[in-house]
Amino acid sequence: MQTNLSTDIKNTPRGREADAILRTCVHCGFCTATCPTYQLLGDELDGPRGRIYLIKQMLEGQPVTEKTRLHLDRCLTCRSCESTCPSGVKYSRLLDIGREMVAEKVPRTGTAYWTRLALKTLLPRRGLFTPAAALGKVFRPLMPSALASKLPDMPARGAWPIPVRARRMIALAGCVQPGLAPDINAATARVLDAAGISLVEADKAGCCGAVRCHLDDAAGGREDARRNIAAWWPLVEAGAEAIVVTASGCGVQVKDYGHLLKDDPEWRDKAERIGALARDVSEVVIAEKARLLPRLAKAGPAGRKLAFHSPCTLQHGMKIRGVVEELLVAAGFELTPVPDSHLCCGSAGTYSVLQPEISGKLLDNKLEALNTGAPEIIATANIGCLTHLQSGSLRPVRHWVELLAERLG
Ligand code: SF4
Ligand code: SF4
């Protein structure tokens, strides 16, 4: 694609990055076929090619309006388009730049502003969110059903093995997950312990930064990244092999720390190192399959049909495909077919709160697809998808690593 960026942006770091990305797009439109918002809304500007065009216009100095923002806001950042694109266009990076510029040129006001401020104040702070979620569960019968459904009952935190193994890894504690599903990291610790690895958390680490980055606050997201790096660094220097992330939405973010802090000379090198050490929990477990699979085989068939929802951040963001499915089959589950498994469930971070109508339609479609093979249970790999799916499902929705831990006994 030919570009002619305006002089004020052309020679800036983000201008150069955006220009390089735009030039890789050949405008073929293959990506529109796999875009969930284009499929639902049928408007070119609600598909990747149209959004790329809007960002190009903005970078070339044409007026930026509320309509520009509307179409960029409707993007789920699911990155299905990146998986389809034959030219390797880094769409999500371009979208970040586009959204940053829209936030500067057409600042939000009124409800849109206050809603985002409330979300980015509450969600990333574990110390605020966990008691708020506990209180919410108590008063669930009095709450509006849309809000109550976001607080499902999940298993309490189970045992966390004492960290006595010679091999050590660090778990990202995160922000909302400990309040909503406290057993996920503990289950990971039990599975890794069975593989001879101790999992530890660093108290001062918290939100990965994705929440604030996605709510027009890239500077806040970078602050979160620096705080986590500082909390993990002593453990890394002491020999921790990896940063294990159990929410795929956070995994994408931590793996990207090097890029996030590339313009910060003080933190750049450490951020690169942490990003390189970040692993989705499925990558860690599959690497230990020589020890874990024989133990799972001993457990025999689970006798349960299961549908796996692969989050966009797992399959499109980190390009991890088929790994969790392999582990679940090894754990004795019978996997049922899921049509259109590349499509987003509509959770997408805070999207389900900010774009409830589109999100609700995507949820209905996803649950219909997941229920095709009449499973008894649904599994996924990201806390956002888990609570979103559970909000519309009578079948239990669990993180796959909890199921694996149960099978290992
Ligand atoms: S598939 Fe890739 S190259 Fe083609 S229009 Fe979409 S982003 Fe551009
Ligand atoms: S990230 Fe997802 S919603 Fe956004 S343009 Fe790409 S496919 Fe469509």
Side-chain angles (χ1 to χ4, degrees), residues 13 49 62 69 77 82 139 161 166 181 188 220 231 234 281 288 325 342 356 379 381 388 402:
R49 187 170 59 176
Q62 293 186 41
R69 189 170 62 199
T77 330
E82 287 188 15
F139 291 104
T188 304
V281 55
E288 303 300 325
E325 291 88 331
H342 63 284
H388 188 57
E402 291 181 286

Side-chain angles (χ1 to χ4, degrees), residues 40-51:
L40 274 185
L41 304 167
D43 182 339
E44 171 78 10
L45 296 179
D46 286 316
R49 187 170 59 176
R51 290 180 178 123

Side-chain angles (χ1 to χ4, degrees), residues 193-213:
D193 188 69
I197 300 165
S198 284
L199 193 66
V200 293
E201 285 181 344
D203 285 343
K204 289 191 177 152
C207 177
C208 64
V211 173
R212 297 210 274 180
C213 279

Side-chain angles (χ1 to χ4, degrees), residues 4 25 35 37 48 72 90 99 166 182 198 222 386:
N4 184 18
C25 175
C35 171
T37 55
L72 298 193
K90 291 179 179 164
R99 282 179 167 163
S198 284
R222 285 192 285 270
L386 191 158

